[in-house]
Amino acid sequence: MRFLFLFIFYYNNLFLFLKVPGPRSVRSSIIRLIHLVVEEGVGNADDAGLRSNLWSQAANLADILLDALKMYLDSCEENPSLFAQAKQEVQAERSAILELFLKGREFERAALLAEKYIDFGTLLTVCDQTMNEDKLNVYIDKLGDSGFTEFACKW
Amino acid sequence: MSIWNELTAIGDRRGAKSSAFSLMEHAEKLRSSLALRALHTPGSTLIDAAIRRVLQERAVELSNDKLTQQDLFYRHISALGDFFPCFVDVVCETVANISGSPHDKVKQIGTAANFIIAMTNAARDYRARNIEQMDQCESTFEILPWIAVIS
């Protein structure tokens, strides 16, 4: 009887994130949808082609959101204190989104997004996880002036 | 007279923002709504359910026989942002209630993602084509696109 109770309790909570209404903003909704695509969609897809399509959709959604956040960050440049706050917020959001692709070992997609939105941490993680020194050198050449080399040394 | 300077900004609950940007935002929402409407074919149960949810949250009642729920929703597209959380709630509930068929779950999720991608791409494409017009208007305000607003 106790086992049955525990089973019912854990089963109901397993899908709690699907049942509870989420935060009421467009940004939060897009992030929630990306999680749904990656965790439930990819997790349930039994076909490599289907999984690839879903990852592509997740990347598309991430790109749209990161583009909007970049626009916001760029507009704050002339206000140093606001820019610093916005940069922290945007970096945290961006890293959290790209982490999904890294966890799913979608390194190519993660690298494309990270390069586009200048996420040095993700680029270095991709190079590290794929043990690709050539790629690292390409990034150093391309992004060295943006502080990538310094970041890589500290990383 | 400095009236021109007064016309360059408007206020909302988040503070002041550029008038040009505000107009751009409305145009983006219009494009996004058009994309949604194009996808909103008979039998689009996810969209229908999401629209019902939006109207419930807004406490809008069907008091006129001549206006459908779709009419009541699409006449207020400046608040299109309300659609997204309701839609994702509906999708999550639908997926949670599907039992025994992972393929059906995947299909629903894929369809839902395509809807949101189409809507947000329509907004972004419009912005990309018209950003120069907005750049010509002098502005000292930060720009937070409606897609990226947190609340």
Side-chain angles (χ1 to χ4, degrees), chain B residues 3 7 12 17-18 26 49 76 78 80 83 86-87 91 98 110 114 116-117 119 121 127-128 134 139 147:
Chain B
I3 192 167
L7 294 174
D12 67 7
K17 59 181 177 181
S18 140
H26 283 296
H76 196 188
S78 56
L80 183 68
F83 176 81
C86 290
F87 182 74
V91 174
I98 293 173
N114 277 340
I116 298 300
I117 287 168
M119 288 177 71
N121 264 334
R127 190 190 318 136
M134 203 179 74
S139 171
I147 287 170

Side-chain angles (χ1 to χ4, degrees), chain B residues 51-137:
Chain B
I51 286 176
R52 270 197 302 277
R53 193 75 61 98
V54 169
L55 296 178
Q56 274 169 12
E57 288 194 0
R58 289 180 189 166
V60 173
E61 287 176 12
L62 270 176
S63 56
N64 184 333
D65 287 341
K66 292 177 184 173
L67 290 179
T68 64
Q69 288 187 332
Q70 285 191 34
D71 295 328
L72 293 170
F73 173 74
Y74 284 110
R75 72 177 183 179
H76 196 188
I77 58 172
S78 56
L80 183 68
D82 296 347
F83 176 81
F84 290 77
C86 290
F87 182 74
V88 174
D89 283 346
V90 165
V91 174
C92 285
E93 288 162 19
T94 304
V95 168
N97 290 329
I98 293 173
S99 59
S101 177
H103 178 76
D104 287 343
K105 286 192 183 191
V106 172
K107 194 176 167 190
Q108 287 285 20
I109 291 169
T111 301
N114 277 340
F115 286 163
I116 298 300
I117 287 168
M119 288 177 71
T120 48
N121 264 334
R124 181 166 68 164
D125 290 347
Y126 178 83
R127 190 190 318 136
R129 285 197 309 273
N130 294 279
I131 195 71
E132 282 177 10
Q133 284 188 32
M134 203 179 74
D135 287 345
Q136 285 168 11
C137 302

Side-chain angles (χ1 to χ4, degrees), chain A residues 113-153:
Chain A
L113 287 168
E115 199 178 329
K116 186 173 179 183
Y117 296 105
I118 322 288
D119 192 293
F120 292 161
T122 300
L123 291 174
L124 284 165
T125 304
V126 167
C127 295
D128 181 48
Q129 292 284 318
T130 56
M131 292 188 284
N132 193 331
E133 204 173 313
D134 290 338
K135 204 161 198 164
L136 179 62
N137 290 331
V138 166
Y139 291 141
I140 289 172
D141 284 340
K142 256 189 190 176
L143 304 167
D145 291 343
S146 307
F148 181 77
T149 315
E150 194 185 329
F151 185 93
C153 292

Side-chain angles (χ1 to χ4, degrees), chain A residues 15 17-30 32-33 36-37 40-42 44-46 50 54 56-58 60-61 63-65 67-69 71-73 75-76 78 82 89 93 116-117, chain B residues 21 28 53 57 80-82 84-89 91-93 95-96 102-103 105-106 109-114 116-117 120-121 124 127 131 134 139-151:
Chain A
F15 296 108
F17 87 96
L18 294 177
K19 295 175 185 172
V20 175
R24 315 315 280 170
S25 73
V26 180
R27 192 205 291 193
S28 307
S29 304
I30 292 175
R32 223 167 135 223
L33 187 57
L36 187 67
V37 169
E40 282 293 310
V42 172
N44 280 294
D46 55 5
L50 265 176
L54 287 163
S56 196
Q57 285 180 318
N60 219 323
L61 288 165
D63 186 36
I64 288 163
L65 184 56
D67 182 55
L69 289 174
M71 187 178 182
Y72 168 54
L73 191 59
S75 74
C76 295
E78 294 191 15
L82 184 61
E89 183 194 333
E93 197 82 277
K116 186 173 179 183
Y117 296 105
Chain B
F21 172 65
E28 286 181 26
R53 193 75 61 98
E57 288 194 0
L80 183 68
D82 296 347
F84 290 77
C86 290
F87 182 74
V88 174
D89 283 346
V91 174
C92 285
E93 288 162 19
V95 168
H103 178 76
K105 286 192 183 191
V106 172
I109 291 169
T111 301
N114 277 340
I116 298 300
I117 287 168
T120 48
N121 264 334
R124 181 166 68 164
R127 190 190 318 136
I131 195 71
M134 203 179 74
S139 171
T140 55
F141 300 102
E142 75 270 16
I143 293 169
L144 181 58
W146 62 282
I147 287 170
V149 170
I150 196 70
S151 62

